[in-house]
Amino acid sequence: MKKTLVIFAHPYFEYSTSNVELVKIYEGVENLVFKDLYEEYPDFHIQSFKERKRIRDYERLIFHFPLIWFSIPPLLKLWIDEVFDMTWTTEKNHPLQNKDAIIIVTVGGKAEHYTPQGMYETTIGELLRSLTLSLKVNQIEVKELIAVHNSDDLTKEELTQISEKIKRTLNIS
């Protein structure tokens, strides 16, 4: 498995039965480091230089978070604003170049609500466009976007199936 950094951002993690279960897939995985932004930066004072140094060491980034009001959590947005450096995009071998990313987003709503014809008249991909564009500009290839719909009401069996899908995507046995 590629050397992987999981950037987890959930402001109400302890109340999310789905995410409490899903993050267990990262436990004990070789070459994988799990970072909970809300645990590490409860005051929202991100140590940009430390994060920029850390991010250089990884080949893959996993962004794991809930959809909050049709967007990414505020601390994840701030982390990107503070850590990604626009001057990097002009450098020949910048720290984010040639990495790949996987986005795992938990969504309280049903999948059919997130279609052009659905209740919200948009897709999860469109709602996350600012994140995927930020990654693309920094030459990070998004390999997959996994949307976990109806996340507040998933059964144990459904969570197991989703966990297995994520493990296959990450090549975790």
Side-chain angles (χ1 to χ4, degrees):
M1 183 169 142
K2 290 182 177 182
K3 193 168 181 187
T4 301
L5 175 64
V6 177
I7 303 157
F8 180 75
H10 197 310
Y12 311 109
F13 175 53
E14 63 275 9
Y15 300 109
S16 173
T17 53
S18 300
N19 283 292
V20 166
E21 195 62 34
L22 291 175
V23 299
K24 290 178 182 175
I25 65 172
Y26 306 124
E27 293 175 0
V29 176
E30 192 175 333
N31 287 327
L32 185 143
V33 173
F34 178 86
K35 289 295 176 185
D36 182 339
L37 293 183
Y38 280 89
E39 184 177 294
E40 194 161 339
Y41 298 113
D43 58 1
F44 279 57
H45 294 328
I46 294 168
Q47 298 174 12
S48 302
F49 292 108
K50 175 182 140 187
E51 293 295 330
R52 287 177 186 160
K53 184 178 179 187
R54 176 182 7 208
I55 205 168
R56 292 174 188 272
D57 294 335
Y58 297 92
E59 301 165 284
R60 171 178 287 154
L61 305 174
I62 298 173
F63 294 89
H64 186 146
F65 57 90
L67 191 71
I68 299 177
W69 277 109
F70 310 105
S71 189
I72 65 178
L75 186 55
L76 179 55
K77 172 67 170 120
L78 181 63
W79 186 89
I80 291 166
D81 290 346
E82 296 286 325
V83 176
F84 287 15
D85 186 338
M86 283 303 288
T87 62
W88 285 345
T89 61
T90 61
E91 294 177 17
K92 187 170 182 151
N93 294 311
H94 68 76
L96 300 178
Q97 187 175 336
N98 300 320
K99 295 183 187 304
D100 63 55
I102 295 171
I103 299 170
I104 301 168
V105 58
T106 54
V107 182
K110 297 176 182 176
E112 61 263 20
H113 292 169
Y114 293 91
T115 66
Q117 300 76 30
M119 181 185 296
Y120 304 122
E121 300 177 356
T122 191
T123 66
I124 296 297
E126 290 167 344
L127 292 172
L128 298 180
R129 183 74 173 131
S130 65
L131 173 58
T132 57
L133 184 56
S134 295
L135 297 171
K136 182 179 180 177
V137 164
N138 281 285
Q139 299 176 22
I140 299 173
E141 181 183 356
V142 176
K143 294 288 191 177
E144 190 160 351
L145 190 160
I146 300 171
V148 180
H149 291 280
N150 212 26
S151 63
D152 297 330
D153 299 314
L154 294 172
T155 65
K156 182 76 170 163
E157 294 80 27
E158 290 168 323
L159 280 169
T160 299
Q161 289 174 352
I162 293 164
S163 294
E164 291 304 317
K165 176 185 178 175
I166 293 170
K167 286 179 183 180
R168 282 190 305 276
T169 299
L170 302 178
N171 293 322
I172 299 172
S173 44

